[in-house]
Amino acid sequence: MLGRQIVVQSQKVCARLRHVQGSTMVAAHQFELTYVASQQPSAYTITQCASTAAQSLRVDPTAGPRLDVDAPLPRFVPQGGSSEQTRIIWQPVAIQQAIDEVKANARAKFDETIEIAINLGTNPKRGDQAVRGTAMLPHGTGKLLRVAAFAEGEDAIAATAAGADVVGGEELVQQIQASGSSSLDFDKAVAVPAMMPKLSKIARILGPRGLMPNPKLGTLSTDIKEAIRLLKTGKVEFRADKGAVLHAGCGKVSFSPDKLHSNVGALCSALLDARPKGVKGSGASGYLLKAALTSTMGVSVPVSVASLVQAIQAYRSSRK
């Protein structure tokens, strides 16, 4: 948010500097601002620079205003004199090149998550064109998920053996009902069908957070051991939002390009399998409109749909 404020403020400053006339236009072009941005730049520093620059320009009050919209914006130089700048790509590129660009621009001190956003050619207002499903990433997500299992008896013993972090039956339901969302110390929840009548008591707590077990997502199953194993080894859920845009994580920056390419292929393959019947066209045509790849703190790189289709084909051929 702070970076966006700085860009908006710099645009306003640049517009004022170019709002000059006659011979002062030369002075305005020669006066090129250089802002020194620290790790946490402030809008106050930019305001000071703008005030100093405005005082150094002499504007003829009798001449008409003139705005040079083609003049470049002030350039930002990181503290320490480094001229390294983030490369911004406007045209769609192949998924392999996009992965390389995103990894190169990821400069955060933590292992950033790489996420893909895909615009779909569906109508979210129509119930028969809702896109939702799961994908099994062959190399996992890179995240350590805490899984809760609602089960009793032998199913609870199997869930514990499968590696569930929280296991419980009626007592776990009562604890969540009494404490509310503050007691939800897990990321995913699985259950056996026999527990669903009891889970209806906390449906208003689990549902809005996407934690309610669902047979379509594989989190409600008689084989609770397999459900937990899939979640622990890289099973992800995807769902298109109200704008027909799908966001999903496909790995970490520390992953190799080949692993990220395979994960993207697996995700897009599952997305293609979840294509609604009412969408015009066939395959990816008319369904996958455009896509972009980004990291948690990095820039977005547009990806060509044709390269996503090739990634799908490569993933499916490797599974045979």
Side-chain angles (χ1 to χ4, degrees), residues 235-284:
K235 187 177 182 180
V236 296
E237 300 176 7
F238 58 83
R239 183 176 185 177
D241 58 18
K242 296 181 180 179
V245 180
L246 183 141
H247 300 267
C250 51
K252 294 285 188 177
V253 171
S254 59
F255 284 18
S256 66
D258 292 339
K259 289 184 178 180
L260 291 172
H261 186 272
S262 181
N263 279 355
V264 171
L267 178 64
C268 293
S269 177
L271 179 60
L272 201 59
D273 293 337
R275 174 191 174 111
K277 295 181 179 179
V279 180
K280 296 181 180 180
S282 61

Side-chain angles (χ1 to χ4, degrees), residues 90-177:
W90 302 102
Q91 297 299 326
V93 298
I95 182 62
Q96 196 66 48
Q97 181 181 351
I99 291 173
D100 295 337
E101 291 289 343
V102 170
K103 287 175 64 68
N105 290 325
R107 303 188 181 96
K109 296 181 179 179
F110 60 93
D111 195 7
E112 302 179 47
T113 298
I114 292 184
E115 182 182 89
I116 189 169
I118 303 176
N119 289 68
L120 303 177
T122 59
N123 186 358
K125 296 182 180 180
R126 295 181 54 180
D128 60 340
Q129 293 193 11
V131 178
R132 186 178 184 181
T134 60
M136 189 65 192
L137 302 186
H139 302 288
T141 61
K143 297 181 180 179
L144 296 177
L145 294 179
R146 288 182 57 83
V147 179
F150 293 92
E152 294 176 334
E154 295 182 358
D155 291 328
I157 297 175
T160 304
D165 300 282
V166 180
V167 181
E170 181 67 28
E171 71 283 355
L172 181 58
V173 174
Q174 293 177 357
Q175 177 186 348
I176 296 176
Q177 189 176 12

Side-chain angles (χ1 to χ4, degrees), residues 188-270:
K188 297 292 180 181
V190 298
V192 293
M195 287 295 300
M196 288 308 293
K198 299 178 182 179
L199 287 179
S200 61
K201 302 176 183 178
I202 55 175
R204 292 185 178 181
I205 300 176
L206 299 180
R209 293 161 181 82
L211 297 175
M212 193 67 181
N214 190 328
K216 294 182 179 180
L217 301 178
T219 51
L220 179 62
S221 173
T222 55
D223 190 355
I224 195 169
K225 187 175 182 179
E226 179 66 13
I228 295 173
R229 186 191 69 81
L230 291 175
L231 289 176
K232 288 284 189 178
T233 55
K235 187 177 182 180
V236 296
E237 300 176 7
F238 58 83
R239 183 176 185 177
D241 58 18
K242 296 181 180 179
V245 180
L246 183 141
H247 300 267
C250 51
K252 294 285 188 177
V253 171
S254 59
F255 284 18
S256 66
D258 292 339
K259 289 184 178 180
L260 291 172
H261 186 272
S262 181
N263 279 355
V264 171
L267 178 64
C268 293
S269 177

